[in-house]
Every structure is written in C-alpha cells, then in structure tokens.
Amino acid sequence: MAVKIHIIGGAGSGKSYLASQIHKKMTIPHLDLDDIFWENQATQYGIKANEDARDYMLEKFLNQPSWVVEGVYLKWVTPSFERADRIFILDTPLQVQEDRIWNRYYKRKSKVPHLAKKETLQSIHNLLEWNKKYNEIFLPEFMKKQRTLTKLFFLKIIKILSATCSRLNKMAHNLSITVY
C-alpha cells in the first residue's frame, strides 16, 4: 500500500522519532528536511543549502510511491503538503521541546558519533528563541490556513511521545502502523 506522510512540529517535538517508527514499521523512505535545507558539508554551522538543489532533492524524493517526510519547514515544502496522504502536526509542550534540544546539544558535544553536528552555544540559544516563535506564531498561522484539509491530524503530545502511542495508533490505523 502506497502512503505519503508529512510530519511537522517544533524543534524537539518528536518528528524524527515518529518518522523513524513509521519508516521502520512500513519500510518506506524517510527524509529529514534538515538534511536538504542545511549544507551539511560546510565547515561552519548554519550554512543553508542552495535553494535550487534543495528543491530538486525534495522533488526527487517525493516522486517515490511511498515516503515519510519530517521537518519544521512550512513554506518551501508545499509540494510535500500537496502530495501527502496524511499530515501530522505535533504539538509538544515548549518546555519538553527545549529539554530535548538541550539534551541533543549535550550529546553532540560529548562526541556521540552519529550526532556530530557543529552547533555552538549561541546557535542553541538562537534555536530556542526561534522555536518559541515557531510554536506561538508560525505554526498556528499555518494551521489557520490549512483548516479545511481532511488529511491534517493534530497530535497533542502531553509529556513524551511514547505516552501518546495508543492515541497515535488509533489515528494511524488506516495506515497499518503501530508506534511503540
């Protein structure tokens, strides 16, 4: 069964976790939009990728019969929103998101190999400030514009994502996935 899922939410909201669970359970390709938005080969942190290259990589990924896409981005990913069968919006308390952002930063700074990004303390402070605006302004504005979409699912995350698995499972039963 072909399925196309787009997951959005603030930094640290649980997007990557949910996408990885869907990817594993359904064996469908997973795209973290950060991987094409940022220039990961840059020697300096926070360098954006070329927009044409980014858009080309997104388009190429979306041409697959099934996929799960996740990220905070709302504007340049319109093609993904249009093609998605389901759009999950994760609403995680800001304090939980901030705790996760800090935990990720500390793990990366302790040189956990697969988390080796080049953030600085200042970039984390900037992210926390931006993420607050995202949750309080950008995401609510996006949701107002999308109210009529029947493929939109709003997931209120109470404490940790695993605590909402039964609710996710009920919403996702048509997709034949189970979240643990």
Side-chain angles (χ1 to χ4, degrees):
M1 174 176 122
V3 63
K4 299 174 181 181
I5 302 167
H6 192 117
I7 304 168
I8 58 175
S13 63
K15 300 176 305 296
S16 296
Y17 174 80
L18 179 57
S20 71
Q21 294 302 305
I22 292 169
H23 161 75
K24 288 175 189 171
K25 181 67 176 177
M26 300 184 74
T27 325
I28 60 174
H30 165 211
L31 175 63
D32 178 340
L33 291 169
D34 280 345
D35 291 343
I36 62 173
F37 184 80
W38 300 105
E39 183 53 64
N40 293 319
Q41 303 305 315
T43 56
Q44 186 179 353
Y45 181 76
I47 306 298
K48 293 179 184 176
N50 173 280
E51 288 182 16
D52 291 334
R54 174 201 72 196
D55 293 347
Y56 172 78
M57 288 186 281
L58 177 61
E59 186 64 34
K60 186 176 176 182
F61 187 83
L62 297 178
N63 283 332
Q64 299 176 91
S66 292
W67 43 259
V68 58
V69 168
E70 54 97 356
V72 298
Y73 310 100
L74 302 172
K75 294 180 181 175
W76 60 273
V77 294
T78 301
S80 180
F81 291 139
E82 290 172 347
R83 296 182 202 174
D85 302 316
R86 300 283 188 271
I87 301 171
F88 293 126
I89 300 174
L90 302 187
D91 178 27
T92 306
L94 189 58
Q95 184 60 51
V96 173
Q97 292 180 44
E98 290 174 349
D99 289 347
R100 290 174 178 172
I101 290 167
W102 280 114
N103 287 337
R104 223 178 340 208
Y105 172 73
Y106 293 132
K107 283 180 185 175
R108 289 174 178 160
K109 285 302 175 188
S110 67
K111 308 259 189 266
V112 175
H114 71 283
L115 297 175
K117 292 204 177 182
K118 305 169 190 105
E119 294 113 328
T120 64
L121 196 54
Q122 183 60 51
S123 70
I124 294 301
H125 284 288
N126 293 345
L127 174 60
L128 291 169
E129 187 176 308
W130 176 88
N131 197 49
K132 184 174 181 180
K133 287 180 192 172
Y134 180 89
N135 282 278
E136 294 176 355
I137 300 168
F138 308 143
L139 191 56
E141 286 177 0
F142 170 81
M143 289 170 48
K144 277 184 199 173
K145 294 176 187 173
Q146 308 301 324
R147 278 200 175 148
T148 59
L149 287 180
T150 58
K151 60 185 171 181
L152 214 58
F153 293 90
F154 186 74
L155 305 178
K156 182 95 173 151
I157 309 301
I158 306 304
K159 177 69 176 156
I160 56 173
L161 192 55
S162 62
T164 63
C165 287
S166 62
R167 187 169 163 200
L168 287 171
N169 287 331
K170 287 177 188 174
M171 294 185 75
H173 77 278
N174 288 336
L175 301 175
S176 300
I177 61 171
T178 304
V179 180
Y180 299 98

